[in-house]
Amino acid sequence: MLIKRSPNGIELPFSSEITPREVYESRRSFMKQIAAGALGGAALLEMANREAFAQGVNPKLAAKLNPSYSALDKHTPYKDATSYNNFYEFGTDKSEPAMYAGTLKTRPWTVSIEGEVNKPMVLDIDALLKLAPLEERVYRLRCVEGWSMVIPWIGYSFSEIIKKVEPTGNAKYVEFVSLADKKQMPGVGSRVLQWPYTEGLRIDEANHPLALLTLGMYGETLANQNGAPVRMVLPWKYGFKSAKSIVKIRFVKEQPRTSWNLSAPSEYGFYSNVNPDVDHPRWSQASERRIGEDGFLARKRKTLMFNGYADVAPMYAGMDLKKFF
């Protein structure tokens, strides 16, 4: 077996004849067969998982492809998804996270889960990888700035964490706290946001099957600039709601204050669901530019309500989504 380093510098064993990208591409061919009706979903999951293990892929990232949560949109090229990023801990320019995130040390890493739970715990990254079966899900990502991507993430529903820690009846919200280490993250010294970066969800949102605790992307470990080693991905919300490089998860009674809401409450609400009918105060949200596909001069695509994930709508029944933006 050869030792091949992931983008995070973690040593992973691979056979000399297969790479993570080749396994990823083979999964894509399976997905195309599903779209054409050639394979059923159960057959696809079994074949993809069996092939990944047989070909020597690290079991930590031998994720089953879950077509139930996989958009059929063309995937954003890996180079674009890892070079055009918002991660203010490493700078405010889109290119700066890829330039400077190499200083982030993703091992050892622990996540503390605390607050209104019966079973508080501290989990290291290996425990998180083993906590539940990993799935590959292809999600659309919509940034509040009006651009979008389509990314194959690897992880499992955050509800698996909820089941483990057993929230009390007082737990109404979940707060996510990101790492804020000036030695590793040069942007933490800036005044653009209050540090550490915090985000939050209502507990029913956190418990929704689409809410993904994410540990990888494109068949590999998360790139540092994409929020390594563990982040959230919430495809029906604007991208900034998906906290990166998480070190603490707190179950709380009251709605948590979140970094962007503290910085500009009139622009970034607590919910921040993708909504083409509610404009940002400084630009329209009715359309978007797909990174890696649509050029600046190309016609933009229409933005979908909840980013196209309509099954989340019942959580907001009866709410004024212009007031609770």
Side-chain angles (χ1 to χ4, degrees):
M1 297 290 284
L2 297 179
I3 294 295
K4 184 176 181 119
R5 289 189 180 275
S6 76
N8 295 347
I10 299 171
E11 292 186 347
L12 303 175
F14 297 103
S15 72
S16 60
E17 298 181 354
I18 194 73
T19 67
R21 186 54 49 80
E22 288 170 328
V23 173
Y24 162 71
E25 292 298 341
S26 73
R27 292 198 188 113
R28 302 280 61 73
S29 69
F30 286 144
M31 195 63 185
K32 290 178 181 178
Q33 291 182 64
I34 267 221
L39 288 173
L44 174 61
L45 298 184
E46 176 63 24
M47 290 175 68
N49 200 43
R50 185 170 62 244
E51 178 178 284
F53 277 92
Q55 292 178 333
V57 177
N58 186 340
K60 294 176 183 176
L61 289 180
K64 292 183 178 181
L65 178 62
N66 189 336
S68 298
Y69 297 109
S70 293
L72 295 178
D73 305 44
K74 179 182 176 181
H75 297 179
T76 299
Y78 179 85
K79 65 178 180 63
D80 291 322
T82 55
S83 63
Y84 191 90
N85 307 106
N86 281 329
F87 200 171
Y88 280 24
E89 286 86 338
F90 296 102
T92 57
D93 187 84
K94 295 291 187 292
S95 63
E96 289 182 320
M99 292 170 59
Y100 301 124
T103 57
L104 180 64
K105 297 178 181 179
T106 58
R107 292 206 178 214
W109 192 280
T110 59
V111 178
S112 174
I113 308 173
E114 56 192 53
E116 295 289 342
V117 294
N118 290 313
K119 295 181 178 180
M121 56 185 66
V122 177
L123 300 173
D124 65 18
I125 193 64
D126 290 317
L128 285 168
L129 283 161
K130 297 173 184 176
L131 188 139
L134 296 173
E135 297 178 357
E136 183 180 75
R137 300 184 183 181
V138 182
Y139 281 168
R140 289 181 291 274
L141 168 68
R142 173 61 155 81
C143 181
V144 72
E145 297 170 340
W147 54 266
S148 62
M149 295 185 181
V150 179
I151 296 176
W153 303 103
I154 293 172
Y156 46 81
S157 292
F158 185 76
S159 59
E160 298 289 347
I161 294 284
I162 294 176
K163 287 189 289 187
K164 292 289 184 183
V165 300
E166 298 180 5
T168 71
N170 291 326
K172 306 301 181 184
Y173 296 88
V174 184
E175 179 185 52
F176 301 91
V177 182
S178 298
L179 179 69
D181 185 346
K182 291 182 179 180
K183 294 181 180 179
Q184 300 183 62
M185 299 170 150
V188 169
S190 72
R191 297 181 180 180
V192 65
L193 291 172
Q194 293 189 29
W195 309 104
Y197 192 93
T198 58
E199 258 306 337
L201 299 170
R202 240 172 30 194
I203 197 162
D204 60 332
E205 296 177 305
N207 207 30
H208 193 280
L210 282 169
L212 191 70
L213 187 83
T214 305
L215 298 147
M217 59 189 293
Y218 294 87
E220 300 178 357
T221 54
L222 280 171
N224 284 9
Q225 59 268 32
N226 292 92
V230 56
R231 61 170 291 168
M232 289 297 296
V233 176
L234 307 163
W236 73 96
K237 293 180 177 288
Y238 293 119
F240 69 87
K241 288 294 295 183
S242 298
K244 301 181 178 78
S245 299
I246 297 169
V247 293
K248 184 179 295 185
I249 298 170
R250 299 179 64 240
F251 288 75
V252 296
K253 298 178 183 179
E254 305 295 332
Q255 180 176 302
R257 301 299 301 274
T258 60
S259 291
W260 277 107
N261 184 248
L262 285 167
S263 175
S266 64
E267 298 185 8
Y268 306 104
F270 176 79
Y271 288 94
S272 291
N273 292 319
V274 176
N275 189 340
D277 300 323
V278 177
D279 291 337
H280 186 279
R282 290 180 280 132
W283 56 78
S284 169
Q285 295 289 19
S287 62
E288 64 199 64
R289 177 173 60 91
R290 182 66 54 82
I291 300 299
E293 178 181 328
D294 298 342
F296 280 97
L297 299 179
R299 184 172 180 174
K300 294 182 177 181
R301 62 180 64 218
K302 291 183 178 179
T303 291
L304 303 174
M305 185 66 194
F306 298 122
N307 206 21
Y309 297 93
D311 56 342
V312 304
M315 291 192 293
Y316 310 105
M319 290 178 61
D320 182 345
L321 299 183
K322 291 187 177 180
K323 178 180 179 181
F324 297 101
F325 63 95

